[in-house]
C-alpha cells in the first residue's frame, strides 16, 4: 500500500490533480485524498482550486456534478462500475413523465441524481437543506425527485406543503428496520441515535437526531455523549472511529454498506492518474441547465 500511495502522490503533483473522497468510500482512500466529505461540498471545493484534473472517488453522479461545476477541468472516476442505485431509478424519460403527470408544479431535485435529471428541475437540494429549499419556494405543492423517503422527511417538517415524490429510494438506507434500532437502544441505553433522512420514516421516528452525512459527523464531534448509534453508511462509522478514538461509534446494522461506493480502490486511483482513462463528460447545453438548478440552490438564502 505504501508504494501505491507514493506513486499516487507523485502523479498528483505531476498531473496537477486533486483527489476527492466521499465519506462512504473505503477509508484507506483518505490516505491520498485532498478533500473528504459530501458529494456537492466536494465538487464546490474542487471548482475553487487550480487543479487541472479531478479524481472523484465516489459514484458516477458525483463525478458528473464535479464536471457540471468545473467544465474546464478533466474529471476522472476511478471505477466506472461505481454507480448510485437511487440515481439510476430515474432517467430523462421518467423525469419528463413525472412532470407531465403533475404539470405546472415546481420541481425540486435531490443532488443524488444524474445531470439529465437535474437539468429538468427548477432547483436542486441536498439532504441537509431540502426542507429549507422547499420552504423557500413559498408554494403549496412541490414535485420531489428522486428519493421519496427524503421527500417524506420534508413533508413531515412542512405539513402545509404537499410533497409529490417520485418513487426512488436508497437501497442501503432502507435495509435498516425499526426492530434493529429498538434492540440497539436496549443494548446501548445511553447512546445517541443518529439517522440519515433517506431511511424509512418508521426508522427515522426512533432517532435522536436526523441529518445529512456531514451533519451527523458534526453532531458526533460536538456532542458530549460518548456513545453513538449510527444509521447511515459504514464509511461514516469508520471515519468517526478513526478521528474520535475517545468516543464509541456503532453501526446499527452491518447491512448498512453501499457496495457501489466500495468499488473504488487505491489501485483504481493510480490507474486513472497514469492513463487518464474513465473521463466523465457532460454535454454543454445539458451542463448549463443542470448548473442552473444547482446555482439557484446555492443562491437561495435559507435559515
Amino acid at each position: 500500500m505504501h508504494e501505491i500511495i507514493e506513486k499516487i502522490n507523485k502523479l498528483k503533483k505531476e498531473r496537477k490533480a486533486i483527489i476527492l473522497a466521499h465519506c462512504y468510500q473505503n477509508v484507506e482512500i483518505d490516505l491520498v485524498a485532498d478533500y473528504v466529505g459530501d458529494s456537492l461540498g466536494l465538487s464546490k471545493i474542487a471548482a475553487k482550486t487550480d487543479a487541472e484534473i479531478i479524481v472523484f472517488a465516489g459514484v458516477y453522479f458525483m463525478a458528473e456534478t464535479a464536471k457540471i461545476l468545473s467544465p474546464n477541468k478533466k474529471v476522472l472516476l476511478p471505477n466506472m462500475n461505481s454507480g448510485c442505485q437511487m440515481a439510476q431509478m430515474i432517467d430523462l424519460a421518467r423525469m419528463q413523465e413525472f412532470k407531465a403527470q403533475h404539470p405546472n408544479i415546481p420541481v425540486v431535485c435531490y443532488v443524488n441524481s444524474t445531470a439529465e435529471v437535474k437539468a429538468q428541475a427548477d432547483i436542486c437540494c441536498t439532504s441537509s437543506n431540502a426542507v429549507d429549499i422547499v420552504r423557500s419556494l413559498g408554494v403549496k405543492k412541490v414535485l420531489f425527485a428522486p428519493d421519496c423517503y427524503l421527500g417524506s422527511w420534508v413533508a413531515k417538517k412542512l405539513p402545509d406543503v404537499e410533497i409529490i415524490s417520485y418513487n426512488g429510494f436508497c437501497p442501503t438506507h432502507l435495509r435498516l428496520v425499526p426492530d434493529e434500532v429498538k434492540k440497539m437502544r436496549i443494548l446501548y441505553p445511553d447512546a445517541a441515535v443518529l439517522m440519515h433522512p433517506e431511511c424509512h420514516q418508521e426508522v427515522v421516528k426512533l432517532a435522536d437526531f436526523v441529518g445529512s452525512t456531514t451533519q451527523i459527523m458534526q453532531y458526533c464531534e460536538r456532542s458530549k455523549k460518548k456513545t453513538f448509534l449510527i444509521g447511515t453508511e459504514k464509511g461514516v462509522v469508520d471515519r468517526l472511529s478513526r478521528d474520535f478514538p475517545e468516543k464509541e461509534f456503532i453501526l446499527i446494522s452491518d447491512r448498512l454498506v453501499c457496495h457501489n461506493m466500495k468499488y473504488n480502490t487505491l489501485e483504481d486511483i493510480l490507474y486513472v492518474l497514469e492513463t487518464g482513462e474513465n473521463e466523465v463528460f457532460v454535454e454543454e447545453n445539458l451542463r448549463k441547465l443542470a448548473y442552473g438548478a444547482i446555482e439557484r440552490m446555492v443562491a437561495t438564502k435559507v435559515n
Side-chain angles (χ1 to χ4, degrees):
M1 184 186 292
H2 179 71
E3 183 180 349
I4 292 175
I5 290 170
E6 281 192 345
K7 287 181 179 179
I8 289 172
N9 287 333
K10 183 174 182 288
L11 282 170
K12 275 200 301 183
K13 293 178 182 178
E14 292 175 359
R15 305 281 198 268
K16 294 184 179 179
I18 59 169
I19 298 173
L20 311 179
H22 190 273
C23 48
Y24 292 172
Q25 292 290 291
N26 294 303
V27 72
E28 63 268 18
I29 287 178
D30 291 10
L31 296 171
V32 297
D34 297 285
Y35 303 99
V36 181
D38 271 341
S39 61
L40 181 62
L42 290 171
S43 293
K44 289 166 69 175
I45 289 170
K48 294 177 182 178
T49 71
D50 58 1
E52 295 178 6
I53 296 174
I54 299 168
V55 179
F56 206 129
V59 293
Y60 190 85
F61 81 78
M62 298 178 184
E64 268 196 333
T65 303
K67 187 65 177 179
I68 290 166
L69 297 187
S70 299
N72 297 320
K73 300 181 193 295
K74 188 173 187 176
V75 179
L76 307 176
L77 184 66
N79 189 315
M80 293 299 274
N81 292 318
S82 187
C84 171
Q85 289 177 280
M86 177 169 64
Q88 292 166 351
M89 290 177 186
I90 186 168
D91 57 14
L92 176 60
R94 290 170 181 164
M95 183 66 156
Q96 289 175 332
E97 181 183 1
F98 181 51
K99 291 171 66 175
Q101 290 171 349
H102 310 280
N104 304 314
I105 300 175
V107 180
V108 178
C109 182
Y110 191 18
V111 293
N112 292 26
S113 55
T114 62
E116 65 180 8
V117 171
K118 288 183 177 74
Q120 291 289 312
D122 294 287
I123 192 167
C124 281
C125 74
T126 67
S127 54
S128 60
N129 69 16
V131 173
D132 289 329
I133 290 297
V134 172
R135 183 189 290 117
S136 75
L137 297 177
V139 296
K140 292 295 184 182
K141 287 185 180 182
V142 164
L143 299 187
F144 194 92
D147 184 10
C148 67
Y149 292 95
L150 181 58
S152 296
W153 171 249
V154 174
K156 179 182 176 182
K157 293 292 185 179
L158 301 174
D160 293 334
V161 181
E162 182 182 354
I163 307 294
I164 304 170
S165 292
Y166 183 83
N167 192 32
F169 57 89
C170 170
T172 300
H173 283 110
L174 282 198
R175 293 186 191 123
L176 192 57
V177 298
D179 282 349
E180 288 176 298
V181 182
K182 293 173 183 176
K183 288 176 183 177
M184 293 297 278
R185 269 199 177 277
I186 292 170
L187 289 173
Y188 301 93
D190 296 326
V193 179
L194 314 181
M195 296 286 176
H196 196 284
E198 289 177 14
C199 293
H200 194 285
Q201 287 304 295
E202 292 304 310
V203 169
V204 168
K205 289 177 183 177
L206 302 174
D208 298 309
F209 176 80
V210 180
S212 68
T213 302
T214 296
Q215 288 173 327
I216 286 173
M217 297 178 84
Q218 289 173 342
Y219 182 100
C220 292
E221 179 180 3
R222 296 167 183 167
S223 175
K224 293 181 180 178
K225 288 267 190 178
K226 292 297 183 183
T227 306
F228 303 85
L229 296 174
I230 306 296
T232 190
E233 213 277 339
K234 178 180 179 291
V236 171
V237 171
D238 292 339
R239 285 164 177 80
L240 286 170
S241 299
R242 177 197 64 198
D243 295 340
F244 305 102
E246 73 282 5
K247 297 181 179 182
E248 185 178 18
F249 303 96
I250 302 156
L251 195 64
I252 296 176
S253 170
D254 59 9
R255 293 178 296 123
L256 284 167
V257 178
C258 176
H259 298 288
N260 284 27
M261 277 285 191
K262 307 305 187 191
Y263 280 135
N264 297 304
T265 65
L266 290 171
E267 289 81 3
D268 291 331
I269 292 171
L270 177 60
Y271 179 77
V272 295
L273 279 172
E274 287 176 333
T275 65
E277 291 188 18
N278 294 357
E279 184 171 359
V280 172
F281 299 94
V282 179
E283 190 274 326
E284 182 59 15
N285 288 334
L286 180 64
R287 188 198 71 80
K288 287 179 179 177
L289 289 170
Y291 179 84
I294 294 172
E295 185 61 22
R296 285 187 285 277
M297 173 189 71
V298 173
T300 299
K301 293 183 179 179
V302 295
N303 296 325

